[in-house]
Amino acid sequence: MIVSSAVWAPGVDARFGRDFHSGYLEWWLHKIGVKDAKFIRYQPSMLTSDPAAQFEVARAQL
């Protein structure tokens, strides 16, 4: 599963939000029997200096 957000990102101050979606999605997938789910994050923001490079890092995890 590819998780994306234009506001929240790992390491960003809590004032920019919290990551509720990936935890919920992981819980939901486990609830319906999907145990082997891999989460890939692509979460550029205004502070991301090179979003294209970050996209390639995420894409390489597929």
Side-chain angles (χ1 to χ4, degrees), residues 7-25:
V7 178
W8 185 88
V12 172
D13 191 289
R15 293 177 293 174
F16 290 98
R18 302 212 185 273
D19 175 22
F20 294 108
H21 61 283
S22 64
Y24 172 76
L25 290 171

Side-chain angles (χ1 to χ4, degrees), residues 1 3 19-39 41:
M1 173 161 304
V3 180
D19 175 22
F20 294 108
H21 61 283
S22 64
Y24 172 76
L25 290 171
E26 186 172 15
W27 170 84
W28 189 83
L29 289 170
H30 282 252
K31 186 80 170 165
I32 63 169
V34 178
K35 303 293 185 193
D36 187 22
K38 179 179 179 181
F39 284 79
R41 294 186 178 275

